[in-house]
């Protein structure tokens, strides 16, 4: 099979981790008889430096022409990088929002799994981490507060900032359907998270989710207020299967879920539209503090590549091979610095990529 993949190495550790993911994909291609065709495009700070904008129309066209996009991460140090002196629409993150919108990527999937080998890195009490967890946060990605109208005005000499949170029922319905579809392939439980005791947008969210649930009688639906969900994620994460939520709540909760797994360097993500097309990227940022040192953990990006094989290309065997390679390497005690623990062997970014390639036979 020919796999046309547009790659966005991006900024910071992005180029290093994407490189390792390509190495692993190339090994998959070799073992399973596929052909990987890559095209790199610029986005974020790397694009600002060359084109003066975080994402060009040509880069969007290249992304659209591919079967899938594999991304590292974008952005720099937000306090020191000159990119953050630019107006907000020209900063690195504007490229990310633009590509999500252009590719109509409305569904963001972030699995949060506690690997037993990394249970020591889990910051939760041992009795909680011993129960393990395997949840998936399904976050709406193209609506809500991050895409609403915003402005800062001056009223009677006082500065006032306004952000608007809008959802229509169609936006809610399509993400709810994705959430229930994924739940059907998992433990058949959806926790819909909102703030329906305060927000109108949440009351509509709850109403539409309940309508969609009627088409999935096998799936158990529960509603949870976002503040309670934030607490439950640390109190009893094993209770969750699919957490379905809107853009801003999902942004915050998925980072919290990342941290309870113990390492942000292990967490993959996928952003999907209505077709098989998806953008796959690690959950973490560009980690400018460790860029260029060959110490970044490439596993989140490599697991994102596995999600790409599964969701865009329906190559389940190949995706399993990557996920099993990760488990096996952890079992053998190899760790990058971020997940290092006593008695394990510390390796760099490149060596972790090489070890994973060796596991795939
Ligand atoms: P970050 O995720 O980049 O880093 C947070 C901490 O985790 C840092 O100490 C970093 O060294 C560490 N870390 C992250 N990924 C790691 C990995 N693979 N291996 C080892 N350690 C890792 O978050 P931040 O510092 O808040 O943001 C840095 C930049 O990334 C900012 O410009 C931010 O806007 C951007 N960002 C981009 C994306 C994206 O591209 N989707 C997402 C989040 C943040």
């Amino acid at each position: 099979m020919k796999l046309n993949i547009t790659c966005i190495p991006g900024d910071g550790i992005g180029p290093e981790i994407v490189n390792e993911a390509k190495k692993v994909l190339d090994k998959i291609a070799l073992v399973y008889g596929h052909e990987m065709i890559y095209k790199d495009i610029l986005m974020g700070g790397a694009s600002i430096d060359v084109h003066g904008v975080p994402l060009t129309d040509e880069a969007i066209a290249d992304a659209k022409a591919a079967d899938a996009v594999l991304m590292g991460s974008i952005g720099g140090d937000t306090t020191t990088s000159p990119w953050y002196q630019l107006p907000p629409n020209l900063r690195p993150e504007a490229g990310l929002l633009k590509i999500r919108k252009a590719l109509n990527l409305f569904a963001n999937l972030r699995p949060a799994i506690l690997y037993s080998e990394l249970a020591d890195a889990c910051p939760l009490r041992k009795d909680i981490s011993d129960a393990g967890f395997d949840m998936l946060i399904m976050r709406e990605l193209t609506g809500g507060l991050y895409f609403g109208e915003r402005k800062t005005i001056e009223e009677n000499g006082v500065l006032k900032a306004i952000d608007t949170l809008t959802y229509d029922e169609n936006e809610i319905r399509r993400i709810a359907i994705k959430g229930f579809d994924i739940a059907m392939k998992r433990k058949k439980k959806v926790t819909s998270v909102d703030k329906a005791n305060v927000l109108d947008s949440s009351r509509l969210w709850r109403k539409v989710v309940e309508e969609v649930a009627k088409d999935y009688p096998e799936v158990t639906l529960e509603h949870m207020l976002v503040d309670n969900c934030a607490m439950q994620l640390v109190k009893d994460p094993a209770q969750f299967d699919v957490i379905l939520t809107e853009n801003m709540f999902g942004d915050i909760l998925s980072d919290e879920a990342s941290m309870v797994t113990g390492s942000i360097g292990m967490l993959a993500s996928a952003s999907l539209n209505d077709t098989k097309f998806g953008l796959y990227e690690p959950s973490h940022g560009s980690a400018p503090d460790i860029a260029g040192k060959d110490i970044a953990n490439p596993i989140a990006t490599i697991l994102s590549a596995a999600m790409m094989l599964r969701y865009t290309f329906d190559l389940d065997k190949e995706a399993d091979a990557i996920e099993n390679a990760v488990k096996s390497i952890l079992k053998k005690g190899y760790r990058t610095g971020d997940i290092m623990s006593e008695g394990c062997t510390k390796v760099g970014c490149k060596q972790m990529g090489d070890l994973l390639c060796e596991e795939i036979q």
Side-chain angles (χ1 to χ4, degrees):
M1 182 175 185
K2 272 191 184 168
L3 290 77
N4 279 300
I5 303 162
T6 289
C7 295
I8 303 175
D11 307 314
I13 59 170
E16 300 165 56
I17 54 184
V18 167
N19 217 31
E20 297 316 303
K22 280 182 181 172
K23 243 161 63 180
V24 170
L25 285 172
D26 287 341
K27 184 65 188 283
I28 288 284
L30 190 72
V31 172
Y32 292 89
H34 301 299
E35 189 184 347
M36 304 286 170
I37 303 160
Y38 306 114
K39 175 154 192 182
D40 284 3
I41 60 171
L42 296 178
M43 192 168 108
S47 176
I48 294 171
D49 289 347
V50 176
H51 301 295
V53 289
L55 184 69
T56 62
D57 291 342
E58 292 73 32
I60 292 178
D62 282 337
K64 280 185 176 167
D67 300 317
V69 176
L70 179 65
M71 186 174 128
S73 45
I74 52 115
D77 186 316
T78 48
T79 48
T80 59
S81 165
W83 298 328
Y84 296 93
Q85 305 302 317
L86 296 167
N89 63 327
L90 291 179
R91 291 181 193 172
E93 286 69 17
L96 194 55
L97 298 183
K98 192 172 168 187
I99 202 166
R100 284 176 184 164
K101 199 84 180 169
L103 300 175
N104 200 21
L105 302 171
F106 66 85
N108 181 235
L109 280 65
R110 279 174 62 164
I113 302 165
L114 183 64
Y115 292 89
S116 53
E117 292 81 11
L118 300 182
D120 284 350
C122 174
L124 302 180
R125 253 192 0 243
K126 196 171 169 342
D127 58 312
I128 301 174
S129 64
D130 276 354
F133 55 83
D134 177 354
M135 72 182 96
L136 185 142
I137 300 194
M138 171 73 77
R139 164 188 170 195
E140 202 289 328
L141 207 56
T142 56
L145 202 58
Y146 297 170
F147 289 91
E149 267 180 55
R150 66 178 64 100
K151 59 184 171 186
T152 303
I153 55 172
E154 199 177 315
E155 265 180 10
N156 305 323
V158 178
L159 283 176
K160 182 172 175 179
I162 301 162
D163 294 288
T164 47
L165 199 178
T166 314
Y167 271 110
D168 71 40
E169 58 178 311
N170 296 329
E171 289 174 300
I172 301 169
R173 189 166 291 109
R174 65 182 183 174
I175 185 80
I177 289 170
K178 283 261 179 210
F180 279 88
D181 280 346
I182 296 268
M184 283 297 288
K185 294 184 183 174
R186 296 175 46 100
K187 288 172 274 171
K188 297 191 174 68
K189 180 177 175 191
V190 169
T191 305
S192 176
V193 174
D194 59 38
K195 188 72 183 168
N197 52 344
V198 178
L199 300 175
D200 261 19
S201 56
S202 282
R203 285 189 273 271
L204 180 63
W205 180 277
R206 203 173 267 218
K207 177 176 178 288
V208 175
V209 168
E210 275 176 4
E211 283 166 17
V212 171
K214 288 184 186 137
D215 294 332
Y216 298 84
E218 287 174 61
V219 177
T220 305
L221 168 67
E222 65 175 10
H223 299 285
M224 194 176 276
L225 295 175
V226 62
D227 37 355
N228 184 26
C229 184
M231 291 191 286
Q232 294 299 327
L233 275 173
V234 291
K235 192 169 167 244
D236 179 18
Q239 71 182 285
F240 295 112
D241 179 20
V242 174
I243 292 180
L244 172 66
T245 192
E246 61 93 69
N247 203 343
M248 183 181 63
F249 297 159
D251 187 11
I252 298 165
L253 293 176
S254 54
D255 270 11
E256 188 188 354
S258 304
M259 280 320 294
V260 295
T261 65
S263 172
I264 198 160
M266 296 292 298
L267 296 167
S269 89
S271 302
L272 308 176
N273 66 17
D274 267 332
T275 69
K276 285 274 174 194
F277 185 91
L279 182 146
Y280 299 86
E281 57 174 322
S283 297
H284 58 72
S286 58
D289 53 329
I290 57 165
K293 297 181 179 163
D294 191 33
I295 56 172
N297 186 347
I299 294 179
T301 315
I302 290 165
L303 289 172
S304 303
M307 288 180 87
M308 176 180 76
L309 297 179
R310 195 182 299 286
Y311 292 117
T312 291
F313 298 104
D314 284 322
L315 296 174
D316 288 346
K317 230 178 358 155
E318 289 80 344
D320 288 346
I322 294 179
E323 289 166 5
N324 290 336
V326 169
K327 284 180 198 145
S328 168
I329 281 303
L330 293 178
K331 232 179 221 111
K332 289 180 181 173
Y334 293 107
R335 306 278 190 274
T336 44
D338 57 316
I339 51 172
M340 185 60 191
S341 60
E342 225 182 297
C344 292
T345 310
K346 194 168 174 179
V347 297
C349 182
K350 282 190 189 134
Q351 200 186 345
M352 181 55 90
D354 290 339
L355 287 164
L356 290 167
C357 286
E358 278 167 32
E359 286 296 315
I360 300 166
Q361 295 298 339

